[in-house]
Each structure stands twice: as C-alpha cells, then as structure tokens.
Amino acid sequence: MLPRHARIVARLLERLPGVGERTAARYVLHLLAAEPALSLALAKALEELHERVRPCERCGNLAEVEPGAPASPLLCEVCADSRRDPTLLCVVARVQDLSAIERSGAMRGRYFVLGKLVSPLEGVGPDDLPLDLLKQRIVDEGIREVIVATPPSVDGEATALLLSRELATTGAAVSRIASGVPHGSDLEFADQVTLGRAIAGRR
Amino acid sequence: MLPRHARIVARLLERLPGVGERTAARYVLHLLAAEPALSLALAKALEELHERVRPCERCGNLAEVEPGAPASPLLCEVCADSRRDPTLLCVVARVQDLSAIERSGAMRGRYFVLGKLVSPLEGVGPDDLPLDLLKQRIVDEGIREVIVATPPSVDGEATALLLSRELATTGAAVSRIASGVPHGSDLEFADQVTLGRAIAGRR
C-alpha cells in the first residue's frame, strides 16, 4: 500500500489513457526511486502545458505559444510553413490523426481539424461541426482540393459523405483517402506506409 | 509533430518505465484535450512528491511525511502498526516487492528493504548492502525469525545465501521463501529450473 500522497499521484496518473492501478503505482515508485529533479521537471512542464500549447487559430492543430511573440493569430508549425501547397487542404477529425499523416510525409498541403465526427449514436449532428468555418476558409484561401481524412469507421464515413455534399458549393474538388487503411482501425496507430498509400490512392 | 513544449512534456514522460515515444505523445494529447485542471493537479502533486513521501527510517518502505507531526523518526504504515509481530522480519530487495507481499496478506511481521542485491556482474558486493543496519535491528528488536524474500534470480539467490551466512551470528532463524510452480500455472509450460526447485522443495 502506497503512502497517501503517492496514492494521490497514482490516482491522477490513472486518468491517462491505458494506465491502470498497477501501471500508475509502477510510475510513482519509479519517480520516487529517481532523482527528485525528474518529478520537479515534469511538474513544471505540466504546469505550463495548457499555457504554452494551444490550438492553432487557423486549423485547430496544436501550436506553441511563444512568450515574446505577438499572440495573434497563433499559428501551428504547418500553417506557418510557407512551403506548403496553399491550395490543398486535408480535413481530419483529431490532432492525433493530423500527427499521423504528418509522420507519413505524404501530405503537401495544410489541415483543418474538425474536432469531432457526426455520430447519430452520440447525438452529434452536422450542426455540431465547424462547417461554416471550413467553407469560409476554402473560399478565402482559394483551396482547390479538399482531402477528407476522417477515419474509415461508420462515423468517419458519415462525416466524409456530409463533407462531400456540403463542400460541393465551394467549387473545390473533394477527395477521400483510399481504403488502404484497414476498416475499423484508428488513424493514430496506422503505419506510415499504409497512411502514405491511403493519401496517394485518394479518389 | 507536437509543438516544442508538448515534446518537452512527452520526453519527460518517456522516462517512466515502459513508456515509449508513441505512448508519451498519447499521454500529452490526452492531457491537452482534457481540462487544464488535470495537468495542474498532476503538476502540483508531482511537485510535492519527494517532500511528502520519503523512506521509512526503520525499514526503507515508503512513508508519508505528515506536515504537522514531529518528523523523527519517520515511520511507514507497517512499522507504525502495533499489531504486527515484532519478532518476525521479512527482508526484501525493493519497495515493490514489499507491496506485493503486503497484497498477499501472508506476512504478519515487519520488513527490511535492502535497496539492492549482490550482483557480481553489476559490481555490487556484500559491502554495498546495509548488512550492519540489518544485524543491528535484529539484535535491538529481538527478532526471532528472518524471512528472506529476495527474488528467485541469480542475484536474489546469491543475496539470500549471503544473508543466511551473515545473520547466523544474530541468533535469529533465517528462512527463505519457497520457490516452485506458481499458483494456477500449467506444469507443461513451467521452465526446468522452476520445476526442479518445485520438486526439490517438496514438503
């Protein structure tokens, strides 16, 4: 049985995905056996996490808040990268999916993070998605092609269908990543080759 | 690619046992998607971890430092529990092993945490172990039986052998936890050493 304060730390670590009671206790014992500097560095870094890392105001990706720099608009690395194709936009559900696609190196354009998928079961309808923002951006930036990279799940496909209809008025071509991605899997854990092929084989 | 500060947090989380690059990134993204309160609570708890949790001055187990209470000597829950058999002492290598034995509920006595095992390969000799402290405690507290619960590994067995020799002068009986086939396991898949020990240690 861990001392009370160690249990408090363990209970908080259990809120991380996939961390159970045993794993949390293991983490705490490891931290206690290590130099205090590790726990203190982690404490300091976590304290600043939400201040220093915020959503990109253009695409919803994570962006670093530079202490000295003028704050508006806050742009992520991808949006700030002028070598990106400004006419190509990839729509993803989550930041994790954006990171996975970036790792594949197959996307030359920029992104738009939806934040959620339409889901009748969870009561998420088309009105809950930032469709107006997306359309506005496509028009404002003269986007010529939108690649819909929502996951190959029921909700992901429903969202892709919704987008292909909704974005028809913008004049941009709407494509869908190919089903090289195994059905029902999570984009975050797809390997780079699979993701690269899915993007190259879009239709 | 995570923003710089998120990578700093991820890099620190990678120092936890069994946490690789992917898992650390997953933890950070989860924290960023959750309320800032979770990161802040974790930060605060980690900041105080080494102040609030210290080794028990008697046995080496983890003990809670009570802010108000007189600090010396700092005792863990087991040492502070007067219902424990004061004549029975269990010697373990690590706090983790102590916790595992406590969970079994099979130990009525108290503990002594060695902190390490003799290991010729890692250059840990008998002089690196707190043998004098252990002997002193056995004599001072009138311990009658010492149960050596070091792991059934090469280093654990070497340490057990060393203890049985070193503690002979204290007058306490020295026993060794049984090694054999684990409960609920399949004989077919037990390794040869385990089966050999199970047969040699029959009773």
Side-chain angles (χ1 to χ4, degrees):
Chain A
M1 187 71 151
L2 293 173
R4 198 178 59 246
H5 188 77
R7 284 204 305 275
I8 290 173
V9 176
R11 203 84 32 93
L12 288 165
L13 290 170
E14 279 175 44
R15 306 264 296 269
L16 295 173
V19 176
E21 203 178 323
R22 283 270 170 108
T23 305
R26 203 162 148 237
Y27 289 172
V28 173
L29 288 169
H30 182 89
L31 286 170
L32 282 165
E35 289 298 308
L38 176 57
S39 299
L40 292 176
L42 193 52
K44 183 102 181 72
L46 285 170
E47 199 185 324
E48 296 175 356
L49 182 59
H50 279 78
E51 280 167 38
R52 299 280 298 269
V53 183
R54 290 183 179 276
C56 169
E57 289 172 26
R58 199 163 160 201
C59 78
N61 185 17
L62 294 172
E64 179 89 12
V65 180
E66 299 295 344
S72 65
L74 178 65
L75 294 184
C76 70
E77 267 186 345
V78 178
C79 282
D81 181 357
S82 59
R83 292 162 305 178
R84 296 284 174 148
D85 181 344
T87 67
L88 188 59
L89 189 72
C90 181
V91 178
V92 293
R94 308 177 307 157
V95 171
Q96 282 91 324
D97 303 332
L98 185 159
S99 297
I101 294 171
E102 278 297 289
R103 276 197 299 273
S104 79
M107 176 66 193
R108 298 169 295 106
R110 294 207 174 84
Y111 296 88
F112 186 89
V113 180
L114 287 173
K116 53 186 81 175
L117 297 171
V118 288
S119 172
L121 278 176
E122 290 177 28
V124 182
D127 293 344
D128 299 310
L129 265 56
L131 294 178
D132 290 337
L133 261 175
L134 175 56
K135 283 189 233 174
Q136 192 64 47
R137 189 168 159 203
I138 291 168
V139 172
D140 287 353
E141 298 182 12
I143 304 285
R144 281 205 286 267
E145 182 182 356
V146 176
I147 301 175
V148 179
T150 53
S153 62
V154 173
D155 293 350
E157 297 292 1
T159 306
L161 197 66
L162 172 75
L163 289 176
S164 72
R165 275 201 308 254
E166 287 284 331
L167 303 183
T169 56
T170 62
V174 179
S175 60
R176 175 90 177 101
I177 54 168
S179 58
V181 188
H183 180 76
S185 69
D186 201 320
L187 274 196
E188 183 184 353
F189 301 114
D191 66 276
Q192 300 178 359
V193 176
T194 303
L195 273 169
R197 278 183 190 159
I199 286 175
R202 67 187 181 272
R203 49 195 167 85
Chain B
M1 187 71 151
L2 293 172
R4 197 177 63 247
H5 188 78
R7 285 205 303 276
I8 290 174
V9 176
R11 203 86 31 92
L12 288 165
L13 289 170
E14 279 177 44
R15 307 263 297 270
L16 294 173
V19 176
E21 201 179 322
R22 284 267 173 114
T23 304
R26 205 164 147 235
Y27 289 172
V28 173
L29 289 170
H30 182 90
L31 286 170
L32 281 166
E35 288 299 307
L38 176 57
S39 299
L40 293 175
L42 193 52
K44 183 100 181 75
L46 285 170
E47 198 185 326
E48 297 176 355
L49 182 60
H50 279 78
E51 280 167 36
R52 298 280 299 270
V53 182
R54 289 181 179 280
C56 169
E57 287 172 26
R58 199 165 164 199
C59 77
N61 185 18
L62 294 172
E64 179 89 13
V65 180
E66 299 295 344
S72 67
L74 178 65
L75 294 183
C76 70
E77 267 186 344
V78 178
C79 283
D81 181 358
S82 59
R83 291 161 306 176
R84 296 282 174 150
D85 182 344
T87 68
L88 187 60
L89 189 72
C90 181
V91 178
V92 293
R94 308 176 306 157
V95 171
Q96 282 91 324
D97 303 333
L98 186 158
S99 296
I101 295 171
E102 278 297 291
R103 275 198 298 274
S104 78
M107 177 67 191
R108 296 170 297 106
R110 294 205 175 83
Y111 296 88
F112 186 89
V113 181
L114 287 172
K116 53 185 81 174
L117 299 170
V118 288
S119 172
L121 279 176
E122 290 176 28
V124 182
D127 294 343
D128 299 310
L129 266 54
L131 294 176
D132 290 338
L133 261 176
L134 175 56
K135 283 189 228 171
Q136 193 64 48
R137 187 166 162 205
I138 292 167
V139 172
D140 288 353
E141 298 183 11
I143 304 284
R144 281 204 286 266
E145 182 180 357
V146 176
I147 302 175
V148 179
T150 53
S153 62
V154 173
D155 293 350
E157 297 293 0
T159 306
L161 197 67
L162 172 75
L163 288 176
S164 72
R165 275 200 311 255
E166 286 283 332
L167 303 183
T169 56
T170 62
V174 178
S175 60
R176 175 91 177 100
I177 54 165
S179 180
V181 189
H183 175 79
S185 68
D186 201 321
L187 277 195
E188 184 185 354
F189 303 116
D191 63 273
Q192 299 175 2
V193 176
T194 300
L195 271 174
R197 278 184 190 163
I199 289 170
R202 68 189 180 275
R203 52 195 167 85

